[in-house]
Amino acid sequence: MPYVTVKMLEGRTEEQKKALVEKVTDAVSETTGAPKENITIFIEEMSKNHYARAGVRFSDK
Amino acid sequence: MPYVTVKMLEGRTEEQKKALVEKVTDAVSETTGAPKENITIFIEEMSKNHYARAGVRFSDK
Amino acid sequence: MPYVTVKMLEGRTEEQKKALVEKVTDAVSETTGAPKENITIFIEEMSKNHYARAGVRFSDK
Amino acid sequence: MPYVTVKMLEGRTEEQKKALVEKVTDAVSETTGAPKENITIFIEEMSKNHYARAGVRFSDK
Amino acid sequence: MPYVTVKMLEGRTEEQKKALVEKVTDAVSETTGAPKENITIFIEEMSKNHYARAGVRFSDK
Amino acid sequence: MPYVTVKMLEGRTEEQKKALVEKVTDAVSETTGAPKENITIFIEEMSKNHYARAGVRFSDK
């Protein structure tokens, strides 16, 4: 604990994802006091045809 | 806000998904008073081997 | 199936929530072809101190 | 109801998943009193590059 | 890993919840091969006015 | 986008939560390239009787 889920459009590189989990873990540890080894991160990717704002999918823009 | 997630079996066409996000956005806006541009929709698809009722997966029926 | 989750700030009236689930169910049924009796809706409410954009919670604005 | 989501690394066989939903449904029914036909299970798989502990992804270990 | 979320209507006793997490952990461990100490369970409760089937909330039935 | 959910035991102060969303937003923006104003964070709190490891709830330890 804590458990962090980051949901974003697909397309980030492996290097970006690697840096993302490292920096988010640091930020959560510093501000909540949880030790890093207790922090879990899940990345969830979505495609543009499954994500919509104002009734329009990003694949239809 | 609001954020709407629609989870369903894979297999709907792009036309169905396009209509889905359009109509659900209208329904949420009308009933909550939220402006359409603040409404986000995520579609999540599942496969039949990852979905079960009464202890039996839909792929095993 | 489908399963719909609507996540929004607390504060909507019971009448609004009642209308919300009715209209969203209609919208999902019409566009996906799923019979209404197979459509499940969950409402999740959040408070302003648990929701942030651009690094600022809505309770701090 | 209840709705159970099992999130795990990809790689389990179909036989394991079939047994998983069967046994978990039994366990939930026995302990909550819900009839089996009301219990729904979703399996969600993640890949090693989308799952991290202590700031390190399982694909980077 | 695995991470199991059980979502259900509020109203179960503490004894039922205690038995639930025990038996579900056993079931997941036996069928996936994961050691028990790696299995995490979250319980999420919902109220009847936030849960609907066929467009009608359980609080309105 | 991205959407970040931080799930943790209840008990953090408002100051900790305020700092959490600020620092996590910075970390996500730096590593993904997303502008801060596009980053949304949700905090979800759980109680000790709804969270278990190895078949035992944290409220039963």
Side-chain angles (χ1 to χ4, degrees):
Chain A
M1 199 219 54
Y3 300 93
V4 181
T5 304
V6 181
K7 188 177 186 129
M8 58 186 181
L9 281 173
E10 57 197 4
R12 261 68 184 192
T13 66
E14 292 305 308
E15 280 313 300
Q16 285 180 302
K17 292 175 190 174
K18 188 178 176 180
L20 172 71
V21 303
E22 193 177 310
K23 298 295 186 192
V24 170
T25 299
D26 288 348
V28 172
S29 182
E30 281 170 34
T31 55
T32 65
K36 285 190 193 186
E37 55 270 28
N38 289 357
I39 299 172
T40 304
I41 301 190
F42 307 109
I43 296 175
E44 292 183 1
E45 288 185 325
M46 47 190 179
S47 53
K48 286 190 173 179
N49 65 330
H50 285 171
Y51 176 42
R53 175 71 54 76
V56 182
R57 300 184 302 164
F58 284 77
S59 57
D60 293 325
K61 283 185 177 174
Chain B
M1 199 218 54
Y3 300 92
V4 181
T5 303
V6 181
K7 187 176 186 128
M8 58 185 181
L9 282 173
E10 57 197 5
R12 262 66 185 194
T13 65
E14 293 304 309
E15 279 313 300
Q16 284 180 302
K17 292 175 190 175
K18 188 178 175 179
L20 172 69
V21 303
E22 192 177 312
K23 296 296 186 191
V24 170
T25 299
D26 288 349
V28 172
S29 181
E30 280 170 34
T31 55
T32 65
K36 285 190 193 185
E37 55 271 28
N38 290 356
I39 299 172
T40 304
I41 301 190
F42 307 109
I43 296 175
E44 292 182 1
E45 288 186 324
M46 47 190 178
S47 53
K48 286 188 173 180
N49 64 331
H50 286 172
Y51 175 42
R53 175 73 53 77
V56 182
R57 298 183 303 164
F58 284 77
S59 56
D60 293 326
K61 286 188 175 171
Chain C
M1 200 218 53
Y3 301 93
V4 181
T5 303
V6 181
K7 188 177 186 126
M8 58 185 180
L9 281 172
E10 57 196 5
R12 261 67 185 192
T13 66
E14 293 305 309
E15 279 314 300
Q16 284 181 303
K17 292 175 191 174
K18 188 178 175 179
L20 172 70
V21 303
E22 193 177 312
K23 297 297 186 191
V24 169
T25 300
D26 288 349
V28 172
S29 181
E30 280 171 35
T31 55
T32 65
K36 285 191 194 185
E37 56 271 28
N38 289 357
I39 299 171
T40 303
I41 301 190
F42 308 108
I43 296 174
E44 292 183 0
E45 287 186 325
M46 46 190 179
S47 53
K48 286 189 174 179
N49 65 329
H50 286 171
Y51 176 42
R53 174 72 53 77
V56 182
R57 299 183 304 163
F58 285 77
S59 57
D60 293 326
K61 285 186 175 171
Chain D
M1 200 222 50
Y3 300 93
V4 181
T5 303
V6 181
K7 187 176 186 127
M8 58 185 180
L9 281 173
E10 57 197 5
R12 261 68 185 192
T13 65
E14 292 305 308
E15 279 314 300
Q16 284 180 302
K17 293 176 190 174
K18 188 179 174 179
L20 172 70
V21 304
E22 194 178 309
K23 297 297 187 191
V24 170
T25 299
D26 289 348
V28 172
S29 181
E30 281 170 34
T31 54
T32 64
K36 284 191 194 185
E37 56 269 30
N38 290 356
I39 299 172
T40 304
I41 301 191
F42 307 109
I43 296 174
E44 292 182 0
E45 289 185 324
M46 46 190 180
S47 53
K48 286 189 174 180
N49 65 330
H50 285 171
Y51 176 41
R53 176 72 55 76
V56 182
R57 300 184 303 163
F58 284 77
S59 57
D60 293 326
K61 286 187 175 172
Chain E
M1 199 221 53
Y3 301 92
V4 181
T5 303
V6 181
K7 188 176 186 129
M8 58 185 180
L9 280 173
E10 57 197 4
R12 261 66 185 192
T13 66
E14 292 304 309
E15 280 314 301
Q16 284 180 303
K17 292 175 190 174
K18 188 179 175 179
L20 171 70
V21 303
E22 193 178 310
K23 297 295 186 193
V24 170
T25 299
D26 289 348
V28 172
S29 180
E30 280 170 35
T31 54
T32 64
K36 284 191 194 184
E37 55 270 28
N38 289 357
I39 299 172
T40 303
I41 301 191
F42 307 109
I43 297 175
E44 293 183 0
E45 288 186 325
M46 48 189 179
S47 53
K48 287 190 172 178
N49 65 329
H50 286 171
Y51 176 41
R53 176 71 54 77
V56 182
R57 299 184 302 164
F58 285 77
S59 57
D60 292 326
K61 283 187 176 173
Chain F
M1 201 222 50
Y3 300 92
V4 180
T5 303
V6 181
K7 188 176 186 126
M8 57 185 181
L9 281 173
E10 56 197 3
R12 261 67 184 192
T13 65
E14 292 305 308
E15 280 313 301
Q16 284 181 304
K17 292 175 189 173
K18 188 179 174 179
L20 172 70
V21 303
E22 194 177 310
K23 297 296 187 192
V24 170
T25 300
D26 288 348
V28 172
S29 180
E30 280 170 34
T31 55
T32 64
K36 286 191 193 185
E37 57 270 29
N38 288 358
I39 299 172
T40 303
I41 301 190
F42 308 109
I43 296 174
E44 292 183 1
E45 288 186 324
M46 47 189 179
S47 52
K48 285 189 173 179
N49 65 331
H50 285 171
Y51 175 41
R53 175 72 53 77
V56 182
R57 300 183 303 163
F58 285 76
S59 57
D60 293 326
K61 285 188 175 171

